[in-house]
Amino acid sequence: MIVGDYSEDYEVMVPFQALDMVGIAVDAVCPGKCKGDTIRTAIHDFEGDQTYSEKPGHLFRLTAAFGLIEPDSYHGLYLAGGRACEYLRLDDKVLGLVRTFMNDDRPVAAICHGPQILAAAGVLAGRNLTAYPAVAPEIRAVGGTYVAVAPEDTVIDGNLATSPAWPGHPGLLRAFLRRIAPDAVN
């Protein structure tokens, strides 16, 4: 799971704990930080304004060091959403990791602004996916097809599962688990 400062709180905490609950070991990593370091999360909510509001979230403790991970040791990749994606997509090592998983056809889940990282990695041409609606122009600009769905929905295209926001966790996590641990979900 790739996260960073100001990742969306629910989009880090919920999948991390849900995957752990079903026995999936998750290494949560952030470039430039080590195992045991923390990231600050943000709570994004929809309160009737023209965009979401942002409030301080929790401190989330990283479980591994980004610089030490070996992609071949992992069955899948989870990209949390939130503002962190704006700067994570500028990190060449993050983009390389994303390309590895996508090119190997390994399971990848991305929520909310997570597809910004996929777009920057250049892996969306010909793919159908969803994201927070503000990310739609980036998806289209790199040859992907943005699919507008309700916040609680999930779009699956091969190894890629996406959802526009944290209300989509049930479907997104179910789709991801079906690829990495089929016996863990019906």
Side-chain angles (χ1 to χ4, degrees):
M1 175 183 283
I2 298 178
V3 299
D5 285 319
Y6 301 101
S7 287
E8 207 290 326
D9 190 84
Y10 288 172
E11 294 169 4
V12 174
M13 301 288 189
V14 171
F16 183 85
Q17 292 174 340
L19 292 168
D20 183 50
M21 180 200 66
V22 297
I24 305 296
V26 180
D27 281 343
V29 298
C30 176
K33 295 197 179 202
C34 298
K35 178 179 180 176
D37 288 351
T38 59
I39 61 162
R40 292 184 182 275
T41 67
I43 296 171
H44 296 129
D45 212 346
F46 306 96
E47 302 173 300
D49 300 313
Q50 292 179 323
T51 190
Y52 55 84
S53 63
E54 183 172 270
K55 298 167 184 63
H58 297 90
L59 292 178
F60 177 80
R61 191 163 311 283
L62 302 171
T63 59
F66 180 81
L68 300 179
I69 61 170
E70 294 291 332
D72 291 339
S73 300
Y74 298 94
H75 297 289
L77 176 65
Y78 194 97
L79 300 173
R83 281 193 302 123
C85 300
E86 295 172 3
Y87 71 85
L88 291 171
R89 67 184 168 169
L90 303 176
D91 188 299
D92 288 334
K93 291 181 181 173
V94 167
L95 300 180
L97 184 65
V98 167
R99 287 184 198 109
T100 296
F101 278 86
M102 292 295 287
N103 292 338
D104 291 350
D105 198 39
R106 285 190 265 168
V108 174
I111 192 164
C112 193
H113 286 75
Q116 287 183 310
I117 299 170
L118 296 166
V123 297
L124 295 181
R127 301 303 292 262
N128 296 307
L129 67 150
T130 193
Y132 186 70
V135 181
E138 290 175 64
I139 292 169
R140 291 182 185 117
V142 297
T145 299
Y146 171 76
V147 181
V149 298
E152 57 275 357
D153 289 341
T154 296
V155 173
I156 301 167
D157 183 343
N159 68 316
L160 180 61
T162 54
S163 185
W166 53 259
H169 280 140
L172 182 65
L173 288 167
R174 190 176 305 109
F176 188 60
L177 275 170
R178 282 188 176 134
R179 290 288 312 268
I180 62 171
D183 295 335
V185 65
N186 56 23

